[in-house]
C-alpha cells in the first residue's frame, strides 16, 4: 500500500475502555471516493478524527503519504453569532493567499458572496464555503463530515456532483461520512458500513426505482443518489440500528456483504 494516501491497519480507538472504533482496516488512494455510513454512535466521526490526526489510536496503525495535504469540511460552521465575519475574512483565516481563496470560491459557485456575512448564508452556501476553504489548500485528500447536512435534496445532488468533479480535477482522494445507511451518492466508489467494526463494504448499486424500496423508505431516490443493496446476517432500520437476522434474497434495501470482524 505504498501508494495509498492513507492506510489504516487494525485501528482501535477506546474511550473509558470501550471500543468506539474496533479493529478497522481500510486504504484510500488518489481518485477514490469512499463513503462511511452507519448510525449515530457508530464511530464515524472518531474514525475521521483519527485520519485527521486529532484523535489518538488505542491500537493499530494509520499510515499517511509523505507531505499529505488534507482539506477538511466539517458538518457546519460553528461561529459566535455576534462576531462580524465576512466570507472574505473567513477564507483568509485559512492562511491561503486571497487569489487562491477567490479562485476556490469561484470553483464552488459562491464567489459572489465574497463580501457577505457568513452568518447570513443558507445551508447550501455554508457547505460550499467550507468546501472552498478546503479546496484552497489544493488537498491530496478531501475529508467531509456529512457534507449535505442542512442542504435540500436538489442542493445535495449538485454538491455531490461538485465533489466528484473536484476529485477528477485535483486527482485527490475523498472520504466522507453519512448518517443515512441507505442513500449514498452515485459518485461513491466504495461504501463502508461502520458500527464500531466494519459491518460490510462494497460498491454502491445502481439507482433503484423499485416500488418496494420507495414503500420501505417513504420517498423516491433523487437521480444523483444510489441505493446500496447488500445482504448480511442482520438487518438495519432506517437509522442504521441492527434489528434482527435476515436471509439472503431480499431486494428491498437489505445488504449483501462479507463481515470483517477478525
Amino acid at each position: 500500500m505504498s501508494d495509498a494516501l492513507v492506510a489504516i491497519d487494525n485501528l482501535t480507538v477506546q474511550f473509558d475502555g470501550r471500543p468506539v472504533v474496533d479493529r478497522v482496516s481500510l486504504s484510500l488512494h488518489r481518485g477514490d471516493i469512499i463513503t462511511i455510513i452507519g448510525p449515530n454512535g457508530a464511530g464515524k466521526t472518531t474514525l475521521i478524527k483519527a485520519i485527521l490526526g486529532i484523535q489518538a489510536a488505542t491500537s493499530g496503525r494509520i499510515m499517511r503519504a509523505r507531505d499529505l495535504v488534507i482539506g477538511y469540511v466539517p458538518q457546519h460552521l460553528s461561529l459566535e453569532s455576534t462576531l462580524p465575519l465576512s466570507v472574505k475574512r473567513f477564507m483568509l483565516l485559512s492562511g491561503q493567499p486571497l487569489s487562491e481563496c477567490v479562485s476556490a470560491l469561484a470553483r464552488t459557485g459562491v464567489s459572489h458572496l465574497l463580501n457577505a456575512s457568513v452568518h447570513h448564508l443558507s445551508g447550501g452556501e455554508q457547505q460550499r464555503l467550507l468546501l472552498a476553504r478546503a479546496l484552497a489548500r489544493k488537498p491530496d485528500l478531501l475529508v467531509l463530515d456529512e457534507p449535505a447536512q442542512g442542504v435540500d435534496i436538489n442542493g445535495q445532488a449538485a454538491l455531490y456532483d461538485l465533489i466528484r468533479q473536484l476529485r477528477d480535477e485535483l486527482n485527490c482522494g475523498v472520504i466522507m461520512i453519512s448518517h443515512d445507511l441507505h442513500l449514498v451518492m452515485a459518485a461513491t466508489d466504495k461504501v463502508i458500513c461502520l458500527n464500531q467494526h466494519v459491518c460490510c463494504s462494497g460498491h454502491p448499486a445502481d439507482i433503484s426505482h423499485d416500488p418496494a424500496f420507495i414503500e420501505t423508505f417513504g420517498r423516491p431516490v433523487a437521480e444523483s443518489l444510489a441505493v446500496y443493496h447488500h445482504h448480511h446476517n442482520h438487518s438495519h432500520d432506517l437509522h442504521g440500528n441492527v434489528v434482527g437476522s435476515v436471509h439472503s434474497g431480499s431486494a428491498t434495501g437489505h445488504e449483501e456483504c462479507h463481515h470483517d470482524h477478525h
Side-chain angles (χ1 to χ4, degrees):
M1 295 185 182
S2 59
D3 60 340
L5 295 174
V6 174
I8 298 174
D9 182 28
N10 216 30
L11 178 74
T12 294
V13 179
Q14 295 183 348
F15 296 147
D16 299 323
R18 181 177 65 88
V20 176
V21 173
D22 187 16
R23 296 170 293 175
V24 169
S25 297
L26 66 89
S27 62
L28 187 143
H29 299 75
R30 288 189 182 277
D32 289 347
I33 300 181
I34 294 178
T35 299
I36 302 172
I37 58 179
N40 285 333
K44 302 186 300 295
T45 297
T46 299
L47 177 59
I48 290 296
K49 287 181 176 179
I51 291 171
L52 292 171
I54 58 178
Q55 174 62 59
T58 304
S59 62
R61 295 189 300 164
I62 300 180
M63 294 153 283
R64 300 176 187 85
R66 186 184 299 275
D67 300 322
L68 180 69
V69 177
I70 299 177
Y72 173 53
V73 181
Q75 281 190 35
H76 49 74
L77 280 170
S78 297
L79 299 170
E80 172 55 53
S81 60
T82 59
L83 177 68
L85 188 64
S86 68
V87 166
K88 178 180 177 180
R89 179 61 181 156
F90 178 77
M91 289 293 292
L92 288 173
L93 289 173
S94 68
Q96 303 304 311
L98 178 60
S99 60
E100 294 292 343
C101 293
V102 172
S103 177
L105 289 168
R107 185 61 192 87
T108 62
V110 289
S111 59
H112 62 289
L113 299 173
L114 184 65
N115 296 311
S117 167
V118 296
H119 302 295
H120 298 154
L121 303 182
S122 69
E125 290 169 342
Q126 282 194 8
Q127 290 308 96
R128 286 174 177 267
L129 171 59
L130 291 170
L131 184 57
R133 184 180 65 168
L135 182 61
R137 294 174 51 84
K138 292 185 169 56
D140 304 301
L141 173 62
L142 267 174
V143 179
L144 305 103
D145 188 350
E146 301 207 39
Q149 187 84 7
V151 182
D152 65 34
I153 189 69
N154 292 326
Q156 290 177 31
L159 188 63
Y160 291 138
D161 187 52
L162 175 60
I163 290 167
R164 181 174 183 138
Q165 292 174 31
L166 293 174
R167 182 275 309 268
D168 293 342
E169 292 170 13
L170 295 171
N171 190 29
C172 65
V174 178
I175 186 165
M176 49 189 159
I177 65 177
S178 173
H179 175 72
D180 195 323
L181 177 65
H182 299 286
L183 300 182
V184 294
M185 293 64 66
T188 302
D189 300 314
K190 184 177 184 180
V191 177
I192 294 174
C193 181
L194 187 71
N195 201 355
Q196 282 79 56
H197 65 283
V198 175
C199 292
C200 43
S201 62
H203 297 282
D206 293 333
I207 186 169
S208 171
H209 293 287
D210 190 311
F213 174 85
I214 296 171
E215 181 180 356
T216 300
F217 297 108
R219 62 182 185 273
V221 187
E223 286 295 327
S224 65
L225 301 178
V227 183
Y228 180 42
H229 293 284
H230 56 282
H231 298 143
H232 47 38
N233 62 7
H234 60 269
S235 62
H236 302 263
D237 63 18
L238 295 183
H239 305 291
N241 301 307
V242 175
V243 294
S245 298
V246 298
H247 299 285
S248 62
S250 171
T252 58
H254 293 309
E255 307 172 358
E256 181 171 28
C257 66
H258 65 274
H259 280 256
D260 188 15
H261 293 289
H262 302 296

